[in-house]
Amino acid sequence: MEKKVLPLVISKKTAGWQTAGGGPWTHGTPSAATAGCHAAVDVSAFLPENSVSPPILFLFFQTCRQLFLLYFAYIFFICYLCAWNKRDFLNYKMAKIKTIGILTSGGDAPGMNAAIRAVTRAGIYNGFDIKAIYRGYDGLITNDIRPFTTENVSGIIGQGGTILKTARSKEFATEEGRKKAHDNLAAAGIDALVVIGGNGSLTGAMKFAQEFDICCIGLPGTIDNDLYGTDNTIGYDTTMNTIVECVDRIRDTAQSHERIFFVEVMGRDAGFLAQNSAIASGAEAAIIPEDSTDVDQLARFMERGIRKSKRSCIVIVSESPKCGAMYYADRVRKEFPDYDVRVSILGHLQRGGRPSARDRILASRTGVGAIEAIMQGQRNIMVGVRNNEVAYVPLSEAIRSDKPFDRKLIKVLDELSI
Ligand code: F6P
């Protein structure tokens, strides 16, 4: 087989792509014609007939090598991005947040001040500026926004109510109201908003976050304990203790006069306060919304023949526009005229007073948790405590109306009140 001799001429200009040890042609013999500034290599000995010419092979190998290097660089870049994404991307997002606004909204609850203190102090500790918004969402609309320092929250951990005041803003429920609120928020340089409040307030925060690109963090501040994703809400424990103290007092007079007392407690649509304060105060029954769908709770209670063993009794009734304590007292008066019946509506005294240690701790943990959440780049969540661990739950979940009610509590009360 005749072999072709292919003189390869590599000019100095193109020699740049030669390797130090020569290219794939360095095994050959340089031809005399190309001596001097040219190198000639005979590679024919290694090539079968009609094979691909060396420059093409060379280009092929070079391209493969470059493609491989490119691919390697690409993989390296992706890995780097992943690592960056986890750490620095979040830090980058967080770095955009410099100023945190804080407000309390809806019904006040004992422990709200402890939460304001915690958010303010943890925020400042971690390098944020804090701005306080007065009178809830109304303060955003009217631009009642003031810078806050650690001194502003000195000595408030044990105070009831809220030093920021609160409101149930009608205007914030409208699109125009929220737009105004957002304009003021932006003008004040607030990048994230911490809202301490109950169901309605966190629903407002969720809407606000959906409409405008703003990070909203909720803290569960309500005596009703009706927020999903946290075992207890800030204020619930204090209020329960207040109710128990009141019922203890009412029992003294109920026993003295041998009367049935219907004691109405707050809770809006939830019976947590009524059921648990009934257990804690040794009441004879609780009438709660969670148990009202298929049974006449009063009839069931009366059928138990409570009067056989006791001359007086206390029934805790969850507030309700139609079936509150008055409604049940009237029914007993009509259906059991022998009974001496009285009603006591505890009302707003349940919301006042110094927060319990439990509420102060819950407020402090969730306040610090709110700042941590912001630093982690979290948005639009509520910070709660579940199974003694700080937990983050999306606002949309937190406001669900079906927080699980432990029906075993009904059995506990029934068995212990014989
Ligand atoms: O949500 C807290 C709460 O105290 C409820 O228990 C009660 O139904 C409601 O607020 C009373 O609201 P207001 O103080 O506006 O009458």
Side-chain angles (χ1 to χ4, degrees):
M1 192 178 6
E2 196 191 330
K3 295 207 173 132
K4 284 180 188 157
V5 175
L6 297 174
L8 173 64
V9 178
I10 305 168
S11 75
K12 270 190 175 169
K13 281 181 197 163
T14 55
W17 39 260
Q18 270 187 287
T19 58
W25 302 278
T26 49
H27 302 286
T29 318
S31 97
T34 57
C37 63
H38 293 103
V41 185
D42 178 4
V43 292
S44 59
F46 309 103
L47 294 172
E49 205 176 358
N50 301 327
S51 64
V52 183
S53 63
I56 292 178
L57 248 188
F58 173 77
L59 278 176
F60 174 72
F61 282 124
Q62 281 294 80
T63 312
C64 281
R65 197 181 66 162
Q66 273 161 6
L67 278 178
F68 177 75
L69 283 175
L70 260 179
Y71 180 69
F72 185 74
Y74 171 75
I75 296 291
F76 178 78
F77 181 64
I78 293 293
C79 290
Y80 178 74
L81 264 191
C82 288
W84 189 72
N85 186 37
K86 271 210 153 132
R87 292 179 296 113
D88 300 331
F89 182 62
L90 293 179
N91 289 344
Y92 164 76
K93 266 171 87 179
M94 189 211 93
K96 287 202 306 189
I97 294 177
K98 289 201 163 55
T99 305
I100 298 172
I102 175 168
L103 62 83
T104 48
S105 163
D108 59 287
M112 276 185 165
N113 283 328
I116 296 167
R117 171 182 178 270
V119 172
T120 305
R121 294 228 164 138
I124 291 171
Y125 179 88
N126 287 288
F128 295 100
D129 289 333
I130 303 292
K131 290 202 173 166
I133 298 139
Y134 282 73
R135 294 177 184 80
Y137 294 117
D138 273 350
L140 268 185
I141 294 166
T142 58
N143 209 9
D144 198 350
I145 304 172
R146 309 171 205 174
F148 242 35
T149 64
T150 54
E151 285 78 45
N152 289 101
V153 294
S154 244
I156 66 167
I157 193 166
Q159 286 175 23
T162 159
I163 58 161
L164 295 184
K165 321 282 181 205
T166 186
R168 300 189 194 278
S169 176
K170 287 208 173 89
E171 210 179 338
F172 193 74
T174 66
E175 250 177 63
E176 305 81 65
R178 289 195 292 277
K179 166 89 179 59
K180 255 194 230 171
H182 181 256
D183 290 348
N184 288 333
L185 196 88
I190 294 173
D191 318 295
L193 185 63
V194 177
V195 175
I196 307 168
N199 210 300
S201 308
L202 299 197
T203 305
M206 189 183 71
K207 264 198 191 147
F208 198 47
Q210 278 164 356
E211 282 171 10
F212 305 95
D213 186 23
I214 172 107
C215 160
C216 285
I217 307 288
L219 292 196
T222 168
I223 64 166
D224 300 335
N225 199 31
D226 58 351
L227 288 166
Y228 205 92
T230 186
D231 293 339
N232 291 327
T233 54
I234 300 164
Y236 171 62
D237 182 67
T238 308
T239 296
M240 198 147 54
N241 286 319
T242 305
I243 295 171
V244 169
E245 204 184 314
C246 293
V247 175
D248 286 349
R249 287 164 196 257
I250 290 171
R251 187 174 290 285
D252 291 344
T253 175
Q255 281 175 339
S256 305
H257 285 268
E258 300 188 324
R259 284 172 171 160
I260 295 184
F261 261 86
F262 286 91
V263 180
E264 185 174 297
V265 300
M266 284 185 169
R268 200 177 287 277
D269 303 316
F272 297 100
L273 277 174
Q275 186 68 30
N276 283 312
S277 62
I279 293 174
S281 62
E284 278 62 38
I287 296 182
I288 54 169
E290 288 83 353
D291 200 21
S292 65
T293 41
D294 47 1
V295 273
D296 181 342
Q297 294 179 76
L298 181 69
R300 193 177 63 185
F301 167 62
M302 296 310 273
E303 275 161 21
R304 275 166 47 203
I306 207 79
R307 267 289 166 106
K308 283 182 200 147
S309 56
K310 296 181 179 178
R311 300 296 308 161
S312 68
C313 66
I314 290 176
V315 179
I316 312 280
V317 184
S318 263
E319 66 177 342
S320 155
K322 283 190 195 145
C323 313
M326 286 294 197
Y327 164 82
Y328 287 106
D330 286 346
R331 267 189 61 188
V332 172
R333 282 187 192 110
K334 274 189 208 125
E335 295 168 31
F336 306 91
D338 295 348
Y339 292 171
D340 195 4
V341 185
R342 291 290 185 278
V343 168
S344 182
I345 297 174
L346 298 188
H348 287 81
L349 73 80
Q350 294 165 89
R351 284 218 308 240
R354 296 170 72 78
S356 67
R358 273 183 186 279
D359 276 333
R360 296 181 200 195
I361 294 167
L362 177 62
S364 302
R365 289 182 76 186
T366 50
V368 169
I371 298 299
E372 265 174 22
I374 291 172
M375 288 166 69
Q376 288 168 10
Q378 303 223 42
R379 293 164 79 90
N380 314 333
I381 46 122
M382 184 195 79
V383 188
V385 170
R386 252 186 329 213
N387 301 325
N388 205 25
E389 294 281 345
V390 170
Y392 299 137
V393 51
L395 285 173
S396 54
E397 282 276 301
I399 57 169
R400 275 168 58 164
S401 57
D402 56 348
K403 179 168 180 169
F405 182 85
D406 186 355
R407 295 191 70 83
K408 284 188 204 131
L409 295 174
I410 298 175
K411 185 172 179 284
V412 170
L413 183 58
D414 283 358
E415 289 189 8
L416 299 184
S417 60
I418 52 173

